[in-house]
Amino acid sequence: MTLSERNEASTRTGLIDMQLARAGWSRNRRTLIEEFLLKATEPDSAYGNEQFADYVLLGSDGKPIAVVEAKRSARDEIAGKRQAADYADAIKAKFGDDPFIFLTNGKEIQFWDRDRYAPRKIAGFYTRDDLERLRHQRQYAQPLHEVTINADIAGRDYQNEAIRRVTEGIDAAKRKFLLVMATGTGKTRTTIALVDTLLRSKRVQRVLFLADRRELVRQAMSEFKSHLPNESLARIEAGETSGARIQFSTYPSMMQVYERLSVGYYDLIVADESHRSIYQRYKAVFDHFDAIQLGLTATPTDYIDHNTFDLFDCGDGAPSYYYSYEQAIADKNLVNYRVLDAQTNFQLQGIQGDTLPEPLKQMARDQGVELDELNFDGSDIEKGIINQGTNDAMAREFMDKCRKDVRGLPHKSIVFAVSHAHAKRLYESFNRLYPELQRQGMAEIIDSHMERADATLDDFKYKTMPRVAISVDMLDTGVDVPAIQNLVFAKPVFSRVKFWQMIGRGTRLHTDKTTGEIKKDFLIIDHWKNFAYFKLKPDGEVDHPTEPLPVRLFRLRLEKWLLLHAQQQDVQLAIEELRAMIAALPRLSINVRPHWDELDALMQHWPAPSQGTQEHLSQTIAPLMRLAPLAGLDELQFRIWCERLTVAWLKADAGEQAKVSEHIREAVTSLADNIPDVQRVAEQRAWVLSAGFWQHLDMPRLATLQTLFAPLMRYRTSTPSHTVEINLPDSITQRSWIIYGPTGEGAFAESYREQVEALVRRMAEQLPELAKLKQGGTLNDEEIDHISVTLNQADLFVTEDTLRKAFEAPAASLADCLRHILCEDAQLPNREERINTAFDAFIAAHGYLRANQLNFLRAVKAAVLRHGRITRAALSEPPLLRIGRVETLFPSQDIEELIHLANQLLDEAA
């Protein structure tokens, strides 16, 4: 036997036999033949008439169903492609059926279904059942363009186009697709019609539908059952699987079972709400199964992460099909929204004890709160401070401004709360302020903390009451209630994806069956300037990908290793820590297998340190650590803090050391005192919590800190943060809603402005003074008074003051506003120019400003121009923080002056 033959035999024995056995193929079961003799269909002078296939896999009829061509692990698995094709030709000539082909070198496996696809990488071998199901499909499947779409399931033109984009792609041998369809346009019904088409064509036989929450799985299952009543459906829960044709699971439930299922178990996988977290957390599921994969999302394409596009083979950033929210509105398939910005006094001004009016100071004292405890920005509400009066103001604003039915009750509404505790406080506000309506069950809390929340959600969907669902996360995405006409953002939102998903709760068409009233649009009451926030930062707060903790730990240890070497310190312990993490990797994972040789080399000989080596290990090996079952979250986080501290100590970074050491001390302090394992290290614990430990840090102390306390972190107890609770009266003091009538008539600024413009243009044909103004003439006081009296009548009650608000032009006169309406070239005093002038004046008054300060001011001005309110906290947060730290750029007096300037300009425009 040659060396090459010995290597191939070794690969078969050590790797391939084991992998085949995992898929149910073995000599003992008589499902596999090694060194299968084949006679060539035509004589071949180079290879002879007799050849031996490495493995032939047998179907239940005893005939070959697949051939496996094995190469030694050092060779490319695709190298045997021609050889395997010759074997397959010989088998087809002898038995009549074209066998499937597997090409492998033990580390990589390629699957080749010659009739339909090019070879593709898979995670393992198919089972016999998988191959026989695939053979049945190959034999009986119809071309998809010949199969009609069931219009009773999905009959809209854009839904049909989406389905055809996928079916035509499947006929063209594509296997991955991404549908981007705005919330409310029928993603699920489109998917059901697609699945129905694929099942009827015999192109697929087993389907998996994945969603990120149990409620969404339940909802999808209900829709499938309604439209495909004769199909077998089952839900995967608690680690149990099923043989049903269509199976449903949450991503976490599937993560518990997927490794027990063969790679060919599913023919189609549908991934609902396919966005960044799918790629980060659950990519292993998609790597494992060799199925046609369909991603669904409502997130606008501009917000979809490139990793999601890559996951579904949309390398050019274009989904397989895109039906946008704007297009759906234009096609009258969805309704648009109106936004009412409504901030309370305390949200805008914060709560500072020394500036409160005397009556409120006394109320605070009466409630046992010291005035010096009250020093909060508006952004601290529901975090550092809880003020029930602010929740009362939000409840009153909702009841005053919400869309109501003919009985005067709110249409179906969702209030998005910060937390369950906040939801409870809002619920108590409704109870206290509107007891007669709450007696009927108008508002209810629907979140994961409430027992039988699913039943309450069904009541909200299908019954008259409740009208208002106060929720935390549970109703943010995926819940389908077309009757919703009010959304209340009672919390700040920082994820652009989630922001659009929340808006999508109200976009669906709806007609009230009782009254025949058609929903034309819906109202969003935004208490936290979320819309302004996303204008200020079009991408929203950058969703920094949450780097998996094991990956972060490995990279920190790499950095520590390099620093130790550079400082000529002992690196052996650092190398052993890295090797231990490598040893913990699951060797049979499809993601790990391609790196076997390199991982084995690292375990035998660690490379010489260099920047290039660190970058390679960081980019190639570190990402694999997400697959390693290393430790609990608390322990991992503690180890990361310890490594951050070590790196900071090696870099002599005092600021980072102080910050991280505080986390470590808090963690050690929070260990439960009554646990024997913790009691055994009481002396060392006291030492770590003493000042002396931190004054003389060295590598042995840093190593001891981690090895001794990291395993104990599972015994941490939670320490509730101190939050000031108070109940001071609060009220809405800023809203983009114009009150214009003598009895409180109001409208959105945009709507009111449109009505006034139409009125003034009509009256210009009847009123000489307006005609004169339109022709460029100048009006005297008497003419202006006559126009003023004429306009200030029902139904719009137009005045100089209301026009200033409508056009955001606080310095404009009545004549300026009217001329702007009537004359195309007449411009009002421009808001942007006023803000630019004000900032120019600020800069002129501070002639000593440096380049970095001027750069920071430009960023602040841009924030103001986009309606973003500026607080002291906002100056120290992204995106402004990325430009510089305000405290190091400006003296305190200038900072306060800048905040006053910016907010005064906003108040004038409000």
Side-chain angles (χ1 to χ4, degrees):
M1 182 183 290
T2 66
L3 177 62
S4 173
E5 289 170 336
R6 284 200 300 273
N7 285 339
E8 289 191 13
S10 173
T11 298
R12 285 204 298 273
T13 304
L15 300 175
I16 300 172
D17 285 359
M18 177 180 63
Q19 293 172 36
L20 284 165
R22 289 186 70 196
W25 304 101
S26 70
R27 290 180 298 276
N28 297 337
R29 296 181 185 177
R30 297 182 181 177
T31 58
L32 174 152
I33 300 175
E34 284 189 74
E35 300 292 341
F36 186 73
L37 174 63
L38 292 165
K39 292 186 180 294
T41 54
E42 297 180 7
D44 189 314
S45 59
Y47 300 103
N49 293 340
E50 293 188 352
Q51 299 177 42
F52 292 89
D54 293 317
Y55 302 86
V56 164
L57 310 182
L58 305 178
S60 54
D61 58 2
K63 296 179 181 179
I65 194 171
V67 61
V68 180
E69 175 59 23
K71 295 299 175 191
R72 62 183 183 274
S73 57
R75 291 195 66 191
D76 194 323
E77 78 283 352
I78 206 74
K81 179 172 177 281
R82 173 58 188 270
Q83 192 175 352
D86 290 343
Y87 297 158
D89 288 341
I91 290 171
K92 182 178 181 180
K94 182 175 182 179
F95 295 97
D97 283 335
D98 191 17
F100 299 103
I101 296 173
F102 294 95
L103 308 169
T104 182
N105 60 4
K107 296 184 294 185
E108 303 274 15
I109 304 172
Q110 299 251 1
F111 178 64
W112 190 11
D113 178 357
R114 292 197 297 173
D115 278 357
R116 299 190 293 182
Y117 296 103
R120 62 180 180 268
K121 182 179 174 183
I122 59 174
F125 288 100
Y126 272 58
T127 65
R128 175 189 275 180
D129 287 345
D130 295 338
L131 291 177
E132 291 188 334
R133 194 176 75 253
L134 209 59
R135 183 172 62 183
H136 177 84
Q137 292 168 18
R138 191 167 68 180
Q139 185 174 354
Y140 295 106
Q142 298 173 249
L144 285 164
H145 67 269
E146 297 178 1
V147 182
T148 58
I149 298 167
N150 187 339
D152 292 334
I153 303 175
R156 294 178 176 173
D157 56 357
Y158 65 87
Q159 294 171 337
N160 277 277
E161 183 182 348
I163 293 167
R164 285 304 180 204
R165 292 288 181 192
V166 177
T167 59
E168 289 167 11
I170 292 173
D171 275 342
K174 284 194 66 177
R175 295 181 60 80
K176 293 189 177 186
F177 306 89
L178 178 65
L179 299 184
V180 182
M181 299 173 68
T183 298
T185 55
K187 288 195 306 297
T188 306
R189 287 183 71 143
T190 301
T191 303
I192 296 169
L194 171 63
V195 169
D196 173 63
T197 302
L198 295 174
L199 289 172
R200 284 189 288 113
S201 70
K202 297 181 175 57
R203 186 61 184 76
V204 305
Q205 291 170 274
R206 187 179 289 142
V207 178
L208 173 64
F209 187 98
L210 293 167
D212 56 2
R213 294 208 319 276
R214 292 179 61 205
E215 165 56 28
L216 303 187
V217 167
R218 188 171 72 102
Q219 187 169 284
M221 246 187 115
S222 174
E223 285 201 57
F224 268 83
K225 189 174 183 63
S226 172
H227 295 294
L228 301 178
N230 298 321
E231 290 294 345
S232 59
L233 312 178
R235 185 168 172 172
I236 295 173
E237 271 194 311
E240 296 298 322
T241 57
S242 160
R245 287 240 288 178
I246 307 176
Q247 301 177 19
F248 300 81
S249 175
T250 62
Y251 292 103
S253 292
M254 181 49 58
M255 289 294 285
Q256 296 176 25
V257 303
Y258 80 91
E259 290 182 302
R260 302 207 304 266
L261 302 175
S262 65
V263 298
Y265 190 77
Y266 296 108
D267 301 310
L268 171 68
I269 297 176
V270 180
D272 196 16
E273 295 301 341
S274 296
H275 43 74
R276 178 190 294 265
S277 66
I278 303 304
Y279 181 88
Q280 289 176 327
R281 303 179 196 172
Y282 307 120
K283 187 173 180 290
V285 171
F286 300 93
D287 289 339
H288 179 77
F289 292 114
D290 180 40
I292 296 169
Q293 296 175 5
L294 173 67
L296 307 175
T297 184
T299 304
T301 53
D302 291 347
Y303 293 167
I304 296 175
D305 185 78
H306 72 88
N307 288 330
T308 303
F309 283 125
D310 290 344
L311 183 62
F312 294 100
D313 284 352
C314 302
D316 56 357
S320 309
Y321 180 70
Y322 182 34
Y323 191 63
S324 68
Y325 179 46
E326 293 76 16
Q327 187 61 49
I329 292 171
D331 293 344
K332 295 184 167 44
N333 289 317
L334 292 180
V335 298
N336 209 342
Y337 56 82
R338 299 280 187 172
V339 181
L340 169 60
D341 281 320
Q343 285 75 50
T344 72
N345 177 54
F346 287 148
Q347 281 183 298
L348 294 171
Q349 305 298 331
I351 303 178
Q352 284 84 32
D354 58 348
T355 63
L356 289 173
E358 191 54 45
L360 296 188
K361 288 182 178 179
Q362 189 56 48
M363 286 182 69
R365 296 187 194 100
D366 292 344
Q367 293 172 36
V369 177
E370 296 297 329
L371 294 181
D372 58 7
E373 288 185 73
L374 300 177
N375 185 24
F376 298 98
D377 285 333
S379 59
D380 291 322
I381 290 175
E382 286 303 324
K383 291 189 289 187
I385 183 166
I386 293 164
N387 180 49
Q388 188 59 34
T390 300
N391 295 319
D392 289 349
M394 291 179 179
R396 282 193 297 267
E397 183 75 356
F398 170 78
M399 292 302 294
D400 288 345
K401 300 296 189 300
C402 72
R403 302 285 173 83
K404 300 180 179 69
D405 64 12
V406 292
R407 297 167 53 195
L409 291 172
H411 281 295
K412 292 287 183 177
S413 312
I414 300 177
V415 179
F416 301 113
V418 174
S419 62
H420 175 70
H422 184 217
K424 184 179 177 184
R425 286 189 282 274
L426 287 165
Y427 175 72
E428 289 167 351
S429 291
F430 280 104
N431 285 350
R432 185 169 53 259
L433 298 173
Y434 306 101
E436 71 288 353
L437 296 177
Q438 284 300 91
R439 190 168 62 242
Q440 303 173 47
M442 181 189 71
E444 294 286 357
I445 301 172
I446 304 179
D447 67 12
S448 59
H449 288 77
M450 303 298 290
E451 292 184 3
R452 302 190 179 181
D454 288 346
T456 310
L457 178 55
D458 284 343
D459 291 345
F460 177 64
K461 286 181 177 179
Y462 306 118
K463 296 183 179 180
T464 303
M465 294 291 181
R467 294 296 182 93
V468 181
I470 308 170
S471 181
V472 184
D473 294 333
M474 189 170 172
L475 304 187
D476 289 4
T477 62
V479 174
D480 184 3
V481 187
I484 288 172
Q485 292 203 39
N486 302 291
L487 298 177
V488 180
F489 284 77
K491 70 175 182 180
V493 182
F494 302 107
S495 164
R496 59 199 176 195
V497 172
K498 195 166 191 177
F499 177 65
W500 278 103
Q501 289 174 329
M502 292 163 77
I503 290 173
R505 299 313 100 217
T507 59
R508 288 167 173 78
L509 302 176
H510 178 68
T511 301
D512 191 306
K513 293 178 181 178
T514 306
T515 64
E517 179 188 356
I518 298 173
K519 173 178 163 185
K520 294 183 176 63
D521 54 23
F522 66 102
L523 173 65
I524 298 176
I525 302 177
D526 184 7
H527 288 296
W528 283 100
K529 281 194 170 290
N530 290 295
F531 282 83
Y533 177 87
F534 286 98
K535 288 178 186 176
L536 171 65
K537 293 174 264 189
D539 291 337
E541 180 63 75
V542 175
D543 285 335
H544 299 291
T546 50
E547 187 180 40
L549 294 182
V551 177
R552 175 74 175 133
L553 181 60
F554 190 85
R555 286 174 173 159
L556 281 167
R557 286 177 171 172
L558 279 177
E559 187 176 5
K560 178 178 71 174
W561 164 61
L562 276 185
L563 288 168
L564 286 169
H565 184 272
Q567 297 178 21
Q568 299 183 336
Q569 298 195 48
D570 185 12
V571 298
Q572 194 56 41
L573 178 59
I575 293 172
E576 291 308 315
E577 289 172 338
L578 290 164
R579 281 179 168 162
M581 295 185 74
I582 289 171
L585 289 170
R587 298 280 291 186
L588 293 178
S589 166
I590 185 175
N591 301 97
V592 176
R593 283 206 305 259
H595 302 280
W596 278 352
D597 292 343
E598 183 174 8
L599 296 176
D600 289 342
L602 289 170
M603 295 300 290
Q604 295 296 321
H605 175 72
W606 197 260
S610 69
Q611 192 63 35
T613 300
Q614 184 200 23
E615 288 178 3
H616 173 71
L617 294 175
S618 179
Q619 298 304 316
T620 304
I621 305 301
L624 301 178
M625 294 301 151
R626 72 184 189 279
L627 304 167
L630 292 175
L633 290 179
D634 284 335
E635 178 177 340
L636 275 172
Q637 183 61 74
F638 187 81
R639 290 189 184 277
I640 284 170
W641 285 333
C642 290
E643 296 297 354
R644 282 177 58 190
L645 178 64
T646 304
V647 167
W649 180 76
L650 289 168
K651 290 181 174 180
D653 185 342
E656 175 73 354
Q657 286 184 65
K659 183 166 63 175
V660 180
S661 62
E662 185 62 31
H663 289 309
I664 292 173
R665 281 195 292 266
E666 287 177 3
V668 173
T669 302
S670 68
L671 292 173
D673 296 323
N674 58 344
I675 302 294
D677 286 350
V678 177
Q679 292 170 345
R680 278 191 283 273
V681 297
E683 185 176 337
Q684 295 95 321
R685 187 181 178 197
W687 180 49
V688 165
L689 294 176
S690 69
F693 177 89
W694 300 95
Q695 288 170 354
H696 304 288
L697 282 178
D698 54 23
M699 285 303 297
R701 288 192 185 188
L702 290 165
T704 299
L705 185 65
Q706 184 171 167
T707 55
L708 194 61
F709 291 101
L712 301 178
M713 286 299 124
R714 62 183 183 275
Y715 302 126
R716 286 189 66 180
T717 57
S718 59
T719 53
S721 58
H722 175 65
T723 303
V724 175
E725 291 196 34
I726 199 167
N727 185 4
L728 300 179
D730 199 359
S731 60
I732 302 293
T733 58
Q734 185 181 89
R735 56 169 70 90
S736 54
W737 179 283
I738 295 177
I739 305 298
Y740 58 83
T743 57
E745 294 92 338
F748 294 104
E750 179 184 3
S751 174
Y752 181 71
R753 187 166 61 244
E754 290 171 356
Q755 294 178 66
V756 169
E757 287 176 345
L759 172 66
V760 169
R761 290 186 183 117
R762 285 198 309 271
M763 292 184 66
E765 299 173 2
Q766 308 160 13
L767 205 62
E769 292 85 354
L770 285 177
K772 179 180 177 182
L773 194 64
K774 185 176 181 180
Q775 293 166 6
T778 302
L779 303 181
N780 58 38
D781 290 346
E782 184 179 341
E783 289 171 321
I784 290 175
D785 288 343
H786 183 239
I787 292 175
S788 180
V789 171
T790 306
L791 290 177
N792 189 13
Q793 295 181 25
D795 292 323
L796 294 177
F797 302 100
V798 179
T799 67
E800 184 176 78
D801 185 50
T802 58
L803 287 177
R804 283 174 170 174
K805 291 178 180 177
F807 288 102
E808 294 186 349
S813 66
L814 177 64
D816 290 333
C817 294
L818 296 174
R819 191 177 291 107
H820 172 71
I821 295 170
L822 295 170
C823 306
E824 290 184 5
D825 59 346
Q827 298 297 317
L828 286 171
N830 185 282
R831 174 181 176 273
E832 183 174 349
E833 290 174 359
R834 288 189 298 102
I835 291 174
N836 282 329
T837 300
F839 271 85
D840 288 344
F842 182 88
I843 291 169
H846 300 76
Y848 48 81
L849 295 176
R850 302 186 306 277
N852 285 345
Q853 292 173 310
L854 292 169
N855 188 29
F856 191 88
L857 282 175
R858 278 196 297 274
V860 174
K861 181 173 69 175
V864 175
L865 284 169
R866 293 188 178 96
H867 297 275
R869 192 166 191 84
I870 300 300
T871 64
R872 180 65 179 259
L875 294 176
S876 302
E877 295 173 352
L880 298 175
L881 178 60
R882 300 187 189 111
I883 297 166
R885 296 182 62 84
V886 67
E887 295 86 357
T888 61
L889 290 172
F890 295 94
S892 179
Q893 181 180 345
D894 285 359
I895 295 174
E896 296 305 323
E897 189 178 343
L898 177 61
I899 293 170
H900 176 73
L901 167 71
N903 292 337
Q904 182 182 34
L905 290 166
L906 283 177
D907 292 340
E908 288 174 359

